[in-house]
Amino acid sequence: MVYPVAEQQAGAAGYPAAEAFEPGAGLVWSRISSRYPWHRRIAALVRAIPVAAVGAFLLWRGGGTLAALLWVVGVLAVLVVSWVAVEIAYRSYGYAERGDDLIVTSGVFVRRLIVVPYGRMQFVDVTAGLLERWMGLSTVRLHTAAAATDAVIPGLPAAEAALLRDRLARKGEERSMGL
Amino acid sequence: MPPHGMPQPGYGVPPGYPPQRAYGPPQMYPGPVYPAPGYRYVPPAPPPPVRFSVGTHRVHWATAPLRAFTIMIVYFVLLGFPLLMTRTSDGAAVSFSPVVLLRFLIVSLVVGAGAVAAGLWGWLGLRFRIEGDDLVVENGLLRRRVRRIPLSRIQAIDVVRPLVTRVFSLAEVRVELAGGEQSEIPFRYLGRRAAGDLRAELLARAAGLPGHTPEAPERPVYRVPFGTLLGGLVLRLPVIATFLLMIFSLVFLIAFRELAMLAVALPALLGLIRAVIAPMVMYANFTVAVSPDGVRLRYGLLETRMQTVPPGRVQAVSVVEPSIWRGPGWARLDVTVAGYAGERQALSSTLLPAAPRAVVAQLVALVFPGTNFDAVPLLPASQRGMTVDRADGAGTDDVIFVARHGWLCRRTDIIAHARAQSVRLTVNPVQRLLGLATVHVDAPPGLVQVAAADRDLGEARAIVESTALRARSARAASGDTAHWAARQNQAR
């Protein structure tokens, strides 16, 4: 049976452009931990310090104090920008468990919204780096047979991540089917 | 249950096809008795098919000498030939003095013995059998490695016959599985008949039928004529442009004696070989047939291939219509099958290299039963779109999602809702300024990626929701694709 074109247009009427990235159906986004931006900031700082130090040292040896100073200022500027950007990125993350699928939204530069049916999940990864572990955070990653799916929820509190993984795995098993 | 004698759809022995043969010792010929007492003539019956579901099997014994031979060739090129050379005053020359010959013979004998041992080792080491629903492959004599593969995970089975092995009537059977590394199990090499038997047996088992089910009969759909294939490969804008570039540079080369133009002409020539000659040889004699156990493709001039893609294994297809092809009304059909990864994906992703559009549409309808992608109404994309690869339109019905795009070369990407892995909505910065979005319906990695670009933001979200909904009901309706034949029989 072929659906009339009108059905899609009627559907469009139900979604004002402003709500295109809302979970819909009265749901609210589950947000990630507020420690996440701090994790990103510390990670940026950890990377920025050696970059600033080594670069400044090399420039100071080669050119002069002014170049070294400019280098440090440049690194600081990047750090400040990322300080703010991380906050925006943090606010862009959200996930919601619906009846048959998980929806995840993310992205500042490119906005994304991914709908992953539970039955299509091949496996769910929970990873935590050194810094993440120290801050009690985990990253949940969903894998389907499509490489493009790439649904990642970073910065979840470790306990919540484990619970989410178990819930997803259970729902996935209930609805699992081949390819 | 329909009354007997009614034609039954789906798998099973169809009317008119000889019933399943009982296997046993060859029948004694009861006919005229020959004069010699005690002598009975046994007519030369074709050898009974190998029943791979019983016992453990090896690949064909000729594999061992073949491998030894290959090693010897490599040895001769790399080491043997240089051994025959002796240094002379002005470089090196081949000479047959006793010392040189003796040296060559000794080394050759040692390497030859090694090659024979390696061939035997490889042949003895590989054993396989079918146990219940699993294909068990054992490798290695000392360190044994056992792989147990559920037959339900088979995505496709290819029978490949490279030129060399065609001489010995051998064939390679490649079993393609879904997912990741080493997802291909090659059997190098089986006898030609045995290869067919193994393929039929594995497919029947995967379909949930008893292993000795005879090979499902097939119905030819289309054979690509030589003219269509050649015309299709040549009549493409990039090919024509490259050809003109080559001619131009050759004229320039001759007219002005400018050797530097070779730097243009040679790459152009190589490009033409890659784009026209290579596919020509590869896709020669391209035949498509359908049988209950899937779509069967046969093609190849030097290396012949027979691919079988079981039903429900095709994830997404793309109908490609280069600008010039729209004149004669031709199209190419690309496909994503979950089994083929990486290089094999590119090699085996063509379901039809060039054919009239009607044939392509017919094949799409066979791959996704009960659909007609031309009848799916396409909603035009937004006029404000700025995508280089111009989005044309997208639409959906209960079974498939269709997205068409392309400026000169038009591509129509089709994915079955039941096969969709996830649905994504993305908005890049340019699109955000214009209030547009792209809807991706994700298929496993492959040539075909379905995306409806430049939809209005609200509409895009509505498409996401409706696609997710349809995918859910399609999945519920189609269920698991394993044991498709057995379930069809149950349903009947």
Side-chain angles (χ1 to χ4, degrees), chain B residues 262-279:
Chain B
L262 270 182
V264 179
L266 277 183
L269 182 69
L270 287 181
L272 282 183
I273 289 176
R274 237 184 100 83
V276 178
I277 311 288

Side-chain angles (χ1 to χ4, degrees), chain B residues 309-371:
Chain B
V309 183
R313 295 310 200 200
V314 171
Q315 306 284 334
V317 299
S318 175
V319 180
V320 188
E321 294 164 277
S323 48
I324 306 180
W325 289 24
R326 269 176 267 169
W330 289 339
R332 187 178 83 219
L333 189 60
D334 285 344
V335 55
T336 295
V337 173
Y340 302 115
E343 181 200 356
R344 280 172 287 134
Q345 178 69 255
L347 271 180
S348 9
S349 58
T350 303
L351 220 49
L352 263 180
R357 205 170 183 286
V359 176
V360 171
Q362 189 193 346
L363 197 58
V364 173
L366 283 170
V367 168
F368 299 135
T371 60

Side-chain angles (χ1 to χ4, degrees), chain B residues 414-429:
Chain B
I414 304 154
I415 185 168
H417 287 305
R419 304 265 83 82
Q421 297 291 326
S422 59
V423 190
R424 275 183 304 142
L425 176 71
T426 59
V427 180
N428 65 32

